[in-house]
Every structure is written in structure tokens, then in C-alpha cells.
Amino acid sequence: MNLDTNAKITWCPGCGDFGILNAFKGAVKELIDEGIKKENIVIASGIGCHAKIVDYVNVNSFYSLHGRTIPPLTGMKLANKNLKLIGFSGDGDCLDEGISHLIHAAKRNIDITIILHNNNVFALTVGQATATSPKGFKGKSTPKGSIEEPLNPIKLVLVSGATFVARGYAGNPNHLKKIIKKAVKHKGFSFVEVLQPCVIFNNSYQKLSKTVYDMNKKGHNINDMNLAMKKSEEFNGKIPIGIFYKIKKQTFDEHY
Amino acid sequence: MNTITIGGKAGHGVKAAAKLSAKIFSDIGYYIFILNDYPSVISGDHNYSKITFDKKEIHSYYNDSDFLIALDERTLKEHKSEIKKDGVVLFDKNSFESNEKNHFGIPAGNIVKESEGISIMRNTALLGAFMYVAGIDFCVLEKILKKTYPSNAKINIEIAKKGYLYAKDNFKQKLKTKKIGKPKKFLCGNMSLSDGALNAGLETYIAYPMTPATSILHYLAGKNNVKTIQPENEISVITMALGSSYAGSKTMIGTSGGGFALMTESISFAGISEIPLVIVESQRAGPSTGIPTYTGQSDLNFTLNPGHGEFPLVVIAPGSPEQAFFNGSEALQIAWKYQLPVIVLLDKHLSDSSKTFEIDKKRIKKINPKLSKGGKNYLRYKFTKDGISPITFPGKKDTVVKVTSYEHLENGITTENKKDIKKMFDKRFEKIKNFEKEMNNLETFKVYGKGKNVIVTWGSSLGAVLEAVKEIKDVKVIQPIYLKPFPHKSIKKYLKKAKNIVCVEGNATAQLADLIKLNTGIEIKNKILKYDSREFEPIELRKELKRWFK
Ligand SMILES: Cc1ncc(C[n+]2csc(CCOP(=O)(O)OP(=O)(O)O)c2C)c(N)n1
Ligand code: SF4
Ligand SMILES: [Mg+2]
């Protein structure tokens, strides 16, 4: 199955978004083989480099405003419960401009999937600090280094009520594909943070390739909230990828 | 024509008592109008309602009262000057004393205690007494109480009856009010607009609470045939609504000025992405938080130009609950046929005031959307002669539906090519050219009465104007209902022939007069503007109008 469109891909060569695109297309193909109808898949995005992904996949799509990836998906789910809804959001999009929507969608446990392209930078606006940029980050608007502590997206969605919380790495599309498939199949609010190198403003390939490890290989208990919270704090030396947390809970749309 | 003023503290059930008394007169065939006046306070401050009733249709409340029902002393103080010469005051004498002529004290507090009722039922005792003084058969109230309070009917009827008998033993009857016709129905603008939208197939209503639009959410939340959602803020409201419409659900949202301000980026998004959406903006008075529970018409310019960039848009401003029904129905259908945002502009007075009217079902318009069956070659933004690309929704086999906030090609993919950009702009504006033709089949403006002099007005100010001109000769009233696109040809025709023109509106800068000048070239110099956050009152307005039309 060909999922490409005729749009010209304008990401910088080597951008982490390619890894996410490939992982997602792979996941969609397999999901369709497993019985999900292609016509029921809708993808949405905000605005940013990440967001261009909706132009590059030949499925239903909703290219929203900056920060507004999530509410349209909620509206779609309530309008048609058969839809499989996946949103692609950037760290600026999701955790700066549109953070209230993330928290509330998690709290409601609406049955949608959010994939966060976390490159720790506003890339499309040429390199300013976002909510996830580390303290000291030198960007165009913080020449002396960012003075703010970064926000921890995994922890945020855990405490907000997300029922599927995972992390992938754009440099490991095979693993990411499996995570995305599980997230889409999960009934409820699923959140996948993707560590996404930006070759222009935050080239983290080398560092990440050395530090990420699959936490699920070592027998992490994914039903334990306390453990998930603890894992979400692991950054130094080793960064866990895989599923942090998953539980079953009634979804928002089931009430309608 | 008579007017009753009912007043008390917030929490005394003033609004409920007003509705009951309006029901009394409606049930025996009278036309009514209810105005509710309340500050932005939940308990304690002064609230009042005015119920005017007449044998003929009425379009406004009147200030001067034949009856004042006072639940507390402050009500008497605040409204004493509004009582007509032979007017009657009914008050709870367990709450305060007054010995003036025609001031009838009822021991409402004691009656309630005796019957082991709760303090809010004092208004039932006063209404019972009112039934006697107004000369209405007690059964009328008994029937209404049974219907309104199915589980508390017995005690309410007992209390009302005691009030009635007390009045019979102690006071003179002032009126003899006979049944004059079949029971009539009354409704406020917000509910009527909602009914109109439901009639056109509304499926989803999304809103964040904001007076005076909130009661739409409350009303629709009580219905089983429409989904209601209350998200985290107005930006979420509108973007959620766009997702809902995109997935095929007929969706409406509602707010007041502040919430509307938060929505503006997304209104422009609806415009470029051609996603159908109805936005109700019920104006409150003043800029910013302003005067939340009071009325004004100062958001006209804002709603005419609510977003960045240029895109087609329709703005409709009904002037009565009845028009709100038709405009609500039209708004949803226009949004879906022309795939654009449609704004329905209300205000506190229209949203919240109730009026007697009947819907003539024959007048309900049917405007069909252009649907597509989809398929492999489906293009969401296909170029067509009328600019309308047949619409379909995700979930159709072999069909890909791509919508976007970026400028785009027919398939919904981003473009920055100058030729494509211009072509897509022209396509979007072609839709509005076609809509302008459709406007010939719609009531886009209304003319009332005959005469060489002309009053132009819009929205809720219409009601007071129609009452005011009942005693002014040689004047016609023109009410533009569709404000964008503006029915400029017809309005210009009428204005050109006018001897003297006066514009009446509820704002400080004469925004309708400006709009008329922009669209017709005719400058209206005479203006009656009200921006003290209160609605026009017919008698006061008549005095002012008579200065212009001697
Ligand atoms: C309301 C609004 N504010 C600002 C912008 C400008 N803008 C476009 S993309 C972007 C930042 C994107 O950052 P992020 O979401 O992290 O995406 P990335 O480009 O890093 O993938 C901003 C601020 C906009 N489009 N809309
Ligand atoms: S700027 Fe960074 S995020 Fe954007 S395309 Fe280039 S590499 Fe990717
Ligand atoms: Mg980013």
C-alpha cells in the first residue's frame, strides 16, 4: 500500500521527523493489515516542522492551528466514534501554545492518540527555547541561555490522567512503530513522546543513540503509577524508551 | 396593556415568579413580554423582572407598572417612581411595613411558615394574592403550579390559595381579567434560536459558560437529540467544533464578546479551511469583562471583521425571539451549503427576554448542502463554477478528506505558488457571490409600517422601536437582519426616498449607521444611541423620536 502523497517533503535532510514519518507509515500499514479501515484513520497536526507530516501521508487529515492539534480530534471522536484519531504535535505546539488542551484531553481520557515530536526547540520559527528546552539552552531568544527549568511531558500526562504513556526515539523507527501501533490500539487517551533530533537547532542523535534503552525489556511493570513516575525522572546517563504506563479506564466518548 | 414589576433579592426566585405570572396571562390568551434585570451576583443583590401583557402582540417591556410585587423593602424603594397613578403594590408584610394607599400587605412569610414551606415560596403567596387583585380565576394558577412543580404542587397550591383568600378578605379587586383566547406560547431569544438550529438538524453544541449565552448550553444540555460539550476554554470550543463539523456533525457554538475574542484565530481558520460552523455571539455591555449581565450592541464591527486575512463570512442579527428561530435555522443551513462560518449576533436583551409568538412552519427555509459521495479522485477543495466544493467526511471508503489552515491546492495540500493561491482565493469568494443571489429568497431585512420618515435599527432595539412608533405618524421602520453580506440595494432604495432618517442602536459610536454609509453611501446624521447598558424603553424612546419627527 502506498501512503505517500505528491507533496514535496521540505524537512531538512536527516531531520528526526523522517524517522517518525516512516515509523507511522509502517504502523498504519500493519494496522490496516490487522483490520483497521484506512478510511477511518484521521491524522491532525498543529503548526511547526512536525506538523508538515499530515501533508506527507495519504490519509484523512486536519492541519490545524498552532497549539490546536488536540481539540479537533476530540470533536471528531464525538462526531464519529468509528474514527481512529492520531495527532502530531510539537513541544512548542503541545506544551507551550496548547498545553491546556493536552492536560484536559488526558483528564477526560478521550480515545485519541497524541504523538509529541519533542525536539526541545521551536524549529520552524528558527530556534527559540520551548517548554522542554533544558535550562541554559542557547537559542535566538535566549543568547545567554534559557533561565527556565524544562517541563517533563511524561510526568505531566501521567498526573493529568492519560491511560497510555510511552516514549520512542526517532532514531529507532522500528521500536517507535511498535509503540505507535500499541498507542493507536489503546482505548483511551494515549500519549507517545518521541525524542526527535533537529539537525539544525538541536542535533541530539549522537547523545540519544548512546543513552536510550528499552525499559520494557527489563521487565518494567506498566500498571504501576509510582514506578512510571519514577521512570519519568530518569534522564542522567540513561533515558528509558518504551511504555511507562497503561491502564484500562472508561473513556470520555463512551459517555456520549 | 398592563405591566407587573416583581422584585426581590437575588435568590428570592424573582425570575421564576416572573415566568409564572407570564404563564398566567399566556394561558388565558394574552400576549406577554418579560424583561429580567439582574446584577452579576448570585445571592443577595436586587433583582427584578417586568412582565407586560396585552391583547395584541407586544415587542418590548414597559417601565411604568400597574402592579408592583415586592419581596423586600428595597424593591419598593427602587421601583416606587415607576408605579402608575392607580397602581397597586403587593408586598410581604412579614418582611416590612408600608401604609400608603393601594399598598397591600400580605403575611406571606407567615403563610409559608404555617404551611411548612420554604422561604422562596413567599412569591407563591404573593402571586396567589395577585390573582385576586388582578381578577383572574384561581384555577389558572392552580393548573400552572401543578405543571411547573409536579412534586411540590400541593404545598405551592395551598400557599397560593391562602394568599388568594387573604387578598379576597382584605383588598379591593383592581381588574377583571377574563380569558380572551387560546393559551399562547412565549420563549426567550436563546431558546428560540436553539429551537431553530435544532429544526435545521443541529447535532452538536459546544460552549464555555459566558453570560448572556450560557442559557443556550443549559437549554440544549437538557435535550436528548443533541450532544453538548463544555471544554476547557473558548479556543478549545471552536477548534473542537471545527473537528466535529469536519467529521460531519452539524455543530454550533456560543459565547459573548470576551469568548468570541478568543475564538477569532479559528474563525479565520474556518474561513480558509471551508469548514461549516455557526457561532452565536450574545453581546453584553461594555468592553472587556464590561457589564456582564446587561445589554449592548457594541460588537457589530467586531463580528463583521472577526479574523485576520480575508475570507467569506455571514453575519445575521435577529431582532426578536421569533426571528432568532428562523435565523438559527438559516444560519446552520447556510454554513453547510456555503461551507463557511456564520455568526448569529444576539445581545443580553434578546437572549434573555421572552415574548409571545408563533412559528409559521411554512416560512421555514430548506437550503440543501452540496454533498459528495467521495471516491478515489475526491478533492476536498475542487474548483467548481459556484465555488462550492461538494463536501464529504472521513470514514468513506477509498476517500481521503484533507483540510488545512494553510493555503492549499484542490486536494488540501499546502501550496505557496502564487497562481494557485489567487485561484483558491477567488474560489472562496465565488461562494459569497452565489450566496448573495440566495439572499433574495431570505428575509434579509424587514420594513414595518408606512411613512416618509424612516427609523433604522437592528437587533433587540427593534422591539422598543416598534412599540415607540405605535404613536408616531408617517414613519416606517427598517431593520437590516443580514449585516454581512449587507442587503445594500434594497436598503439604499428605501433610504433614498426617506424625508428624515434616524438610526437607533445600543452603542456609543453608531456602528450600524457607519455600516449603512459604507454600503449605500448614505450618511445618517440623526442618531439615538444608548450605551448605559440598559435596553431602550418605548415611552422614553418615543419622546426622543418625537424630537426628530415633529
Ligand atoms: C498563534 C501562533 N503563534 C505563533 C506561530 C508561529 N509558529 C509557527 S511554528 C512555531 C513553533 C513550532 O514549534 P514546535 O511546535 O516545537 O514545532 P517544531 O517546529 O519544533 O517541529 C511557532 C511559534 C503561529 N503559527 N501561530
Ligand atoms: S529545522 Fe529541525 S525540525 Fe525543522 S525540518 Fe529542519 S531538522 Fe527538522
Ligand atoms: Mg519543537
Side-chain angles (χ1 to χ4, degrees):
Chain A
M1 177 182 294
N2 184 8
L3 288 174
D4 296 337
T5 65
N6 56 12
K8 187 176 161 240
I9 299 188
T10 55
W11 287 322
C12 311
C15 173
D17 285 333
F18 283 102
I20 301 176
L21 175 64
N22 290 332
F24 180 66
K25 285 197 294 196
V28 168
K29 278 179 196 159
E30 290 180 20
L31 287 167
I32 291 171
D33 287 343
E34 291 167 26
I36 288 183
K37 289 186 176 144
K38 179 177 180 258
E39 62 267 26
N40 284 340
I41 298 172
V42 185
I43 58 176
S45 72
I47 299 294
C49 290
H50 68 275
K52 297 179 178 182
I53 194 167
V54 297
D55 270 355
Y56 305 152
V57 188
N58 193 26
V59 294
N60 299 309
S61 66
F62 189 104
Y63 206 150
S64 189
L65 296 172
H66 184 51
R68 318 300 167 202
T69 312
I70 298 176
L73 293 169
T74 302
M76 288 175 219
K77 189 71 193 181
L78 297 183
N80 181 355
K81 289 190 197 180
N82 294 327
L83 299 180
K84 284 279 168 203
L85 300 159
I86 303 120
F88 297 89
S89 194
D91 43 326
D93 197 73
C94 199
L95 300 165
D96 285 287
E97 190 81 298
I99 190 165
S100 63
H101 310 311
L102 175 69
I103 295 169
H104 282 268
K107 165 183 168 286
R108 287 182 197 115
N109 195 29
I110 177 84
D111 184 19
I112 61 173
T113 299
I114 295 300
I115 297 172
L116 173 72
H117 299 223
N118 190 2
N119 55 6
N120 312 92
V121 69
F122 286 125
L124 193 61
T125 46
V126 299
Q128 302 83 5
T130 68
T132 63
S133 302
K135 193 170 179 182
F137 173 86
K138 283 194 174 147
K140 293 203 172 65
S141 59
T142 50
K144 293 181 192 150
S146 152
I147 55 174
E148 294 182 46
E149 293 286 347
L151 198 142
N152 181 331
I154 296 289
K155 211 172 192 178
L156 177 69
V157 294
L158 280 171
V159 298
S160 301
T163 50
F164 181 103
V165 181
R167 183 188 282 148
Y169 169 42
N172 188 348
N174 238 331
H175 175 261
L176 181 58
K177 177 187 79 184
K178 286 181 202 144
I179 295 283
I180 291 176
K181 273 181 69 185
K182 285 185 181 144
V184 173
K185 284 184 181 167
H186 173 75
K187 197 147 180 45
F189 185 78
S190 49
F191 179 83
V192 182
E193 178 194 10
V194 185
L195 306 174
Q196 179 231 321
C198 160
V199 292
I200 307 295
F201 303 111
N202 178 21
N203 196 346
S204 52
Y205 274 119
Q206 278 212 324
K207 187 188 145 216
L208 288 174
S209 293
K210 269 190 238 149
T211 46
V212 298
Y213 75 97
D214 184 349
M215 71 182 117
N216 304 118
K217 268 190 182 154
K218 291 187 177 171
H220 165 73
N221 179 2
I222 60 170
N223 306 122
D224 186 333
M225 179 65 151
N226 288 332
L227 215 61
M229 290 289 278
K230 231 183 223 154
K231 276 272 167 214
S232 77
E233 283 171 11
E234 251 181 55
F235 279 111
N236 291 335
K238 293 230 163 273
I239 300 177
I241 58 170
I243 300 168
F244 284 88
Y245 185 64
K246 176 177 161 68
I247 51 156
K248 256 197 186 150
K249 207 172 130 189
Q250 194 175 27
T251 65
F252 185 70
D253 36 296
E254 279 169 343
H255 293 280
Y256 279 85
Chain B
M1 186 183 59
N2 297 81
T3 296
I4 315 161
T5 300
I6 305 181
K9 286 192 175 66
H12 278 172
V14 170
K15 240 180 164 178
K19 203 169 165 190
L20 284 178
S21 51
K23 273 203 178 124
I24 294 168
F25 291 99
S26 298
D27 274 9
I28 57 175
Y30 280 85
Y31 290 85
I32 65 97
F33 192 100
I34 316 176
L35 168 87
N36 298 307
D37 186 297
Y38 47 95
S40 185
V41 170
I42 303 302
S43 325
D45 214 337
H46 179 61
N47 276 16
Y48 71 88
S49 298
K50 285 186 181 280
I51 306 96
T52 301
F53 59 96
D54 198 4
K55 292 178 177 154
K56 292 179 307 230
E57 185 179 18
I58 40 172
H59 307 278
S60 170
Y61 81 104
Y62 279 81
N63 206 26
D64 291 348
S65 312
D66 301 274
F67 297 95
L68 174 67
I69 301 180
L71 287 156
D72 63 354
E73 194 166 9
R74 179 162 171 202
T75 300
L76 182 59
K77 265 195 207 143
E78 300 257 352
H79 300 280
K80 208 168 171 182
S81 63
E82 299 157 8
I83 303 168
K84 289 187 197 165
K85 213 172 120 237
D86 287 319
V88 170
V89 179
L90 292 165
F91 66 97
D92 177 11
K93 71 174 184 184
N94 299 131
S95 158
F96 65 96
E97 257 316 326
S98 171
N99 298 317
E100 286 177 51
K101 193 178 151 231
N102 281 339
H103 285 205
F104 298 165
I106 293 107
N110 287 348
I111 291 175
V112 169
K113 259 189 222 143
E114 223 179 79
S115 300
E116 291 176 12
I118 47 171
S119 110
I120 200 169
M121 291 173 179
R122 288 187 308 135
N123 58 37
T124 312
L126 290 174
L127 271 185
F130 171 75
M131 292 301 279
Y132 177 75
V133 178
I136 313 167
D137 202 344
F138 185 76
C139 305
V140 177
L141 178 58
E142 193 173 336
K143 237 166 85 192
I144 293 168
L145 288 172
K146 266 187 198 152
K147 242 192 181 165
T148 315
Y149 306 113
S151 50
N152 280 327
K154 215 180 130 221
I155 182 165
N156 272 293
I157 291 167
E158 185 186 313
I159 289 169
K161 187 84 196 188
K162 283 181 182 165
Y164 183 84
L165 292 175
Y166 185 89
K168 195 175 169 188
D169 290 343
N170 294 287
F171 314 137
K172 268 200 302 226
Q173 209 157 36
K174 279 278 158 186
L175 293 177
K176 268 250 165 279
T177 316
K178 286 257 138 30
K179 186 171 167 125
I180 56 162
K182 279 195 202 143
K184 295 197 162 45
K185 281 190 187 146
F186 61 84
L187 211 58
C188 67
N190 275 356
M191 289 187 189
S192 184
L193 168 107
S194 306
D195 284 351
L198 286 171
N199 186 282
L202 180 72
E203 293 166 288
T204 304
Y205 182 74
I206 312 180
Y208 188 85
M210 189 167 191
T211 309
T214 313
S215 66
I216 302 175
L217 178 61
H218 295 176
Y219 181 62
L220 291 173
K223 304 246 169 209
N224 293 323
N225 52 346
V226 61
K227 288 182 202 120
T228 51
I229 314 167
Q230 183 194 308
E232 58 274 17
N233 55 44
E234 285 85 351
I235 296 176
S236 186
V237 165
I238 186 165
T239 47
M240 200 176 278
L242 291 174
S244 174
S245 286
Y246 162 74
S249 184
K250 298 216 163 67
T251 306
M252 180 166 91
I253 60 179
T255 186
S256 188
F260 187 80
L262 289 176
M263 292 176 176
T264 54
E265 186 192 17
S266 305
I267 296 174
S268 141
F269 176 19
I272 194 170
S273 63
E274 304 194 45
I275 300 176
L277 184 63
V278 177
I279 307 153
V280 182
E281 209 264 61
S282 179
Q283 301 160 95
R284 49 171 63 185
S288 188
T289 308
I291 310 100
T293 59
Y294 288 93
T295 203
Q297 298 186 291
S298 50
D299 294 348
L300 174 56
N301 286 337
F302 185 31
T303 46
L304 291 173
N305 301 289
H308 54 297
E310 296 163 304
F311 55 91
L313 169 79
V314 175
V315 180
I316 317 173
S320 66
E322 182 185 1
Q323 288 178 354
F325 177 92
F326 291 106
N327 291 161
S329 164
E330 289 157 18
L332 196 64
Q333 300 186 69
I334 292 165
W336 280 79
K337 176 166 177 187
Y338 295 93
Q339 303 173 24
L340 41 69
V342 178
I343 297 168
V344 184
L345 192 53
L346 308 176
D347 58 57
K348 186 273 168 184
H349 187 32
L350 178 54
S351 282
D352 200 70
S353 302
S354 292
K355 175 183 178 297
T356 308
F357 63 92
E358 247 173 77
I359 293 296
D360 177 4
K361 291 255 161 69
K362 280 177 290 195
R363 276 189 50 212
I364 300 174
K365 290 279 182 316
K366 190 99 191 82
I367 306 166
N368 293 316
K370 296 205 166 168
L371 299 171
S372 160
K373 290 200 183 78
K376 274 198 176 63
N377 301 320
Y378 180 72
L379 296 170
R380 176 64 194 85
Y381 301 105
K382 190 177 170 63
F383 292 124
T384 58
K385 241 181 117 189
D386 57 9
I388 304 171
S389 316
I391 194 167
T392 193
F393 317 105
K396 283 248 164 71
K397 201 165 174 4
D398 295 329
T399 310
V400 173
V401 187
K402 287 179 114 58
V403 296
T404 171
S405 67
Y406 274 101
E407 192 54 276
H408 44 263
L409 302 168
E410 283 179 287
N411 60 4
I413 285 177
T414 310
T415 184
E416 292 183 340
N417 174 295
K418 63 181 185 184
K419 266 197 197 137
D420 294 328
I421 292 167
K422 181 171 183 303
K423 220 172 155 192
M424 200 51 82
F425 250 85
D426 289 340
K427 166 197 141 48
R428 285 194 293 271
F429 279 101
E430 196 57 40
K431 295 192 296 185
I432 213 76
K433 281 189 205 149
N434 277 283
F435 174 63
E436 280 173 13
K437 285 180 210 148
E438 177 124 36
M439 282 172 74
N440 294 325
N441 306 322
L442 299 167
E443 189 178 68
T444 55
F445 67 98
K446 207 167 168 183
V447 180
Y448 307 82
K450 280 186 191 144
K452 283 193 225 63
N453 293 313
V454 168
I455 299 170
V456 281
T457 189
W458 66 282
S460 74
S461 294
L462 173 76
V465 170
L466 291 181
E467 290 297 318
V469 296
K470 279 182 178 170
E471 286 177 23
I472 300 177
K473 285 199 188 102
D474 199 23
V475 63
K476 79 161 83 65
V477 178
I478 299 177
Q479 175 210 7
I481 299 173
Y482 279 65
L483 301 176
K484 193 171 191 165
F486 194 77
H488 57 95
K489 273 193 202 139
S490 320
I491 302 281
K492 188 171 180 174
K493 204 180 75 197
Y494 280 103
L495 294 185
K496 263 173 84 176
K497 285 188 280 186
K499 193 171 114 196
N500 196 0
I501 311 169
V502 176
C503 183
V504 177
E505 49 182 320
N507 56 51
T509 54
Q511 299 181 22
L512 177 66
D514 279 351
L515 184 66
I516 288 173
K517 188 178 172 194
L518 186 75
N519 279 282
T520 66
I522 296 171
E523 188 170 351
I524 304 174
K525 295 212 180 82
N526 308 332
K527 297 154 196 163
I528 300 177
L529 305 174
K530 194 163 164 65
Y531 43 91
D532 59 1
S533 84
R534 301 306 199 265
E535 41 295 291
F536 283 104
E537 201 273 339
I539 307 275
E540 276 175 36
L541 182 60
R542 189 178 295 153
K543 276 185 217 147
E544 286 206 52
L545 283 169
K546 280 189 171 164
R547 286 203 348 241
W548 298 107
F549 304 130
K550 279 204 190 97

